[in-house]
């Protein structure tokens, strides 16, 4: 009925129930249909198998709910340039809020494990708020280059968004808020046995290719081209470096980190 009017007793109410089983449905095919252009290739090669259902009662614009309870597996024919992924997803798309309620997203790649729960704002993707709890453990940061680039994260003059080579493991435990168009990552970061390549090393000091560190622990907040670092500790053999500060984006391209206006305070023990 029109807004503000009630249905008369006995008036039929439209209802929709769709029950499907998907098998071997590729992530890239799903993203081609549902994702904004910049988020259609995240670099993970996986196919979904399981239940995918849709329900609504009355106006589907306000009541439609789509749910998926699927397992993820690597396809029999690998996609060149993508990382094979396995795992499970249990989630609902709620039309009224334009969001995906993620009860469980558990993904494993050759070098990484990801666990996510919470609410992901997807429609409209630049306005709907997101509130996710996320945990990541990885031994290869390069697996996430396409995802970081999709979110607009880059490092000026570097071949990858994160100017580091990881030889051990890195972990992130925290929250993802904001919107898909402008996310905010907040949490605790740990990394072991990694190299950092200074942005201008090749031009100003050809012999300095990378600086090796034994470990890093930090609380960090990334939002809109700015990275805040608090309570950070870097270990390099017998040297301990305590860090706090702001890493800014390039004014001409805000998502390119490590601009000249960045300010880091360091104490060396």
């Amino acid at each position: 009925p029109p807004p503000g009017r009630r249905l008369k007793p006995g008036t039929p109410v439209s209802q929709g129930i769709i029950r499907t089983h998907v098998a071997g449905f590729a992530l890239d095919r799903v993203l081609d249909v549902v994702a904004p252009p910049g988020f259609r290739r995240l670099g993970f090669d996986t196919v979904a198998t399981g239940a995918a259902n849709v329900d609504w009662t009355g106006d589907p614009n306000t009541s439609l709910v789509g749910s998926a309870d699927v397992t993820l597996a690597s396809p029999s024919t690998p996609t060149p340039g993508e990382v094979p992924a396995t795992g499970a997803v249990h989630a609902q798309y709620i039309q009224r809020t334009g969001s995906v309620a993620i009860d469980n997203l558990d993904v494993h790649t050759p070098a990484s494990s990801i666990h996510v729960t919470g609410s992901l704002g997807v429609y409209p993707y630049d306005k709907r708020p997101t509130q996710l709890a996320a945990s990541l453990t990885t031994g290869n940061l390069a697996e996430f280059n396409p995802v970081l680039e999709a979110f607009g994260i880059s490092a000026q003059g570097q071949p990858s968004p994160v100017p580091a080579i990881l030889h051990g493991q890195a972990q992130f435990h925290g929250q993802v808020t904001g919107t898909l168009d402008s996310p905010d990552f907040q949490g605790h970061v740990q990394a072991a046995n990694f190299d950092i390549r200074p942005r201008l090393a090749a031009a100003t000091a050809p012999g300095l290719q990378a600086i090796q560190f034994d470990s890093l622990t930090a609380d960090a907040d990334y939002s809109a081209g700015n990275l805040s670092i608090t309570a950070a500790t870097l270990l390099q053999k017998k040297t301990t470096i305590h860090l706090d500060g702001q890493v800014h984006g390039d004014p001409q391209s805000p998502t390119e980190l490590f601009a000249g206006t960045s300010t880091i305070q360091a104490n060396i023990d």
Side-chain angles (χ1 to χ4, degrees), residues 45-65:
D45 193 18
T46 190
V47 295
T49 298
N53 304 322
V54 178
D55 296 87
W56 73 89
T57 300
D59 184 358
N61 290 322
T62 57
S63 66
L64 184 143
V65 175

Side-chain angles (χ1 to χ4, degrees), residues 221-245:
D221 184 335
Y222 171 84
S223 179
N226 288 285
L227 176 66
S228 298
I229 302 171
T230 58
T233 301
L234 269 171
L235 295 180
Q236 186 190 51
K237 297 182 180 179
K238 295 182 179 181
T239 302
T240 301
I241 306 171
H242 302 283
L243 301 169
D244 290 277

Side-chain angles (χ1 to χ4, degrees), residues 191-250:
N193 191 11
F194 61 95
D195 300 338
I196 294 179
R197 187 178 189 275
R199 177 165 55 117
L200 300 179
T204 61
L208 179 61
Q209 295 302 314
I211 304 172
Q212 189 273 333
F213 291 96
D214 298 318
S215 68
L216 164 71
T217 60
D219 294 323
D221 184 335
Y222 171 84
S223 179
N226 288 285
L227 176 66
S228 298
I229 302 171
T230 58
T233 301
L234 269 171
L235 295 180
Q236 186 190 51
K237 297 182 180 179
K238 295 182 179 181
T239 302
T240 301
I241 306 171
H242 302 283
L243 301 169
D244 290 277
Q246 299 277 336
V247 179
H248 296 152
D250 186 317

Side-chain angles (χ1 to χ4, degrees), residues 152 154 222-226 248-257:
S154 62
Y222 171 84
S223 179
N226 288 285
H248 296 152
D250 186 317
Q252 302 302 318
S253 182
T255 56
E256 291 188 354
L257 293 177

